[in-house]
Amino acid sequence: DAGITQSPRHKVTETGTPVTLRCHQTENHRYMYWYRQDPGHGLRLIHYSYGVKDTDKGEVSDGYSVSRSKTEDFLLTLESATSSQTSVYFCAISAGFNEQFFGPGTRLTVL
Amino acid sequence: AQRVTQPEKLLSVFKGAPVELKCNYSYSGSPELFWYVQYSRQRLQLLLRHISRESIKGFTADLNKGETSFHLKKPFAQEEDSAMYYCALRSGGSNYKLTFGKGTLLTVNP
């Protein structure tokens, strides 16, 4: 697998609490992406980054923020978790011209 | 706006039978199409991209611009092909973002 890890792999939290998910890569790829995967919806892009400190919104960005202070790390924060954010979150990386490589996913449950 | 449609949520075939997973897209420019596969509780991995025209694990897919389709085919399905399959489109000049279809869950029965 491409050098991409996600932490934590599983998390259970309560409504209203902040949650941060981490994506870490060892490939030095420029582009990083956060998706959520839900039954019946496939994968939907939350936010993406095209360089250090360069980020932009995807199609389902409400309630989420991201930060990328160094090439290898891309953080996704749920500012105040809601039950509708219960999902599996995938990070992906890309050098641009090649395909996206996906991380192992984080299963988040918001009670 | 670009869109990817996978009309079948579920597809069930018997081992040895041909399988075709449908993918249609909507995009005004010149698209780049991919098929990703996700085996049970694993990460997504690339199966095919149309520009490479490879055959991976016996699967092939041809881009038909006239019908705006990129259907995935395999002549003889195997049980290990059981997985979720996603079609994805990448448009130019978009920071290489992908738009995914909703996926088709393929089950190959013995």
Side-chain angles (χ1 to χ4, degrees):
Chain A
D1 294 325
I4 175 169
T5 57
Q6 293 183 231
S7 59
R9 294 292 313 279
H10 302 271
K11 186 169 183 67
V12 179
T13 190
E14 293 189 349
T15 297
T17 60
V19 175
T20 296
L21 308 182
R22 180 183 184 231
C23 177
H24 179 79
Q25 61 149 327
T26 57
E27 305 296 318
N28 202 37
H29 283 346
R30 177 181 175 187
Y31 297 91
M32 300 185 76
Y33 309 84
W34 276 109
Y35 295 90
R36 59 178 290 172
Q37 182 185 43
D38 303 288
H41 291 277
L43 276 84
R44 292 178 292 174
L45 183 65
I46 305 171
H47 281 280
Y48 65 99
S49 170
Y50 47 96
V52 174
K53 298 193 189 309
D54 292 323
T55 65
D56 206 349
K57 297 178 180 180
E59 66 174 295
V60 289
S61 59
D62 286 348
Y64 302 94
S65 62
V66 290
S67 66
R68 191 171 179 198
S69 59
K70 45 187 178 178
T71 300
E72 58 265 36
D73 288 326
F74 192 32
L75 303 180
L76 176 71
T77 297
L78 288 64
E79 292 137 13
S80 177
T82 67
S83 58
S84 64
Q85 293 176 311
T86 292
S87 186
V88 180
Y89 291 85
F90 284 98
C91 176
I93 63 174
S94 169
F97 54 88
N98 65 348
E99 73 264 29
Q100 290 186 16
F101 297 96
F102 283 80
T106 294
R107 188 170 295 273
L108 176 68
T109 301
V110 182
L111 301 176
Chain B
Q2 57 209 50
R3 187 167 63 243
V4 176
T5 303
Q6 293 179 250
E8 302 131 333
K9 278 188 180 180
L10 304 170
L11 185 61
S12 182
V13 301
F14 286 102
K15 177 182 173 181
V19 63
E20 181 179 51
L21 291 87
K22 291 184 168 53
C23 173
N24 289 90
Y25 67 90
S26 172
Y27 179 60
S28 57
S30 184
E32 191 172 0
L33 277 297
F34 302 81
W35 276 100
Y36 279 83
V37 61
Q38 184 182 28
Y39 300 103
S40 181
R41 292 192 171 245
Q42 294 186 23
R43 69 181 73 196
L44 277 81
Q45 53 188 284
L46 181 69
L47 184 62
L48 285 175
R49 59 191 302 183
H50 88 272
I51 61 171
S52 63
R53 301 186 66 81
E54 293 175 298
S55 173
I56 305 294
K57 300 185 179 182
F59 284 97
T60 59
D62 289 317
L63 178 61
N64 185 323
K65 291 187 178 181
E67 296 184 357
T68 59
S69 68
F70 188 56
H71 302 328
L72 183 68
K73 300 177 184 178
K74 185 170 183 176
F76 307 104
Q78 303 299 314
E79 289 180 67
E80 56 264 31
D81 295 329
S82 296
M84 179 69 84
Y85 291 81
Y86 291 99
C87 183
L89 178 152
R90 186 164 77 186
S91 54
S94 64
N95 285 312
Y96 302 98
K97 292 182 292 181
L98 290 175
T99 299
F100 284 87
K102 294 183 179 181
T104 296
L105 180 62
L106 174 65
T107 301
V108 181
N109 300 296

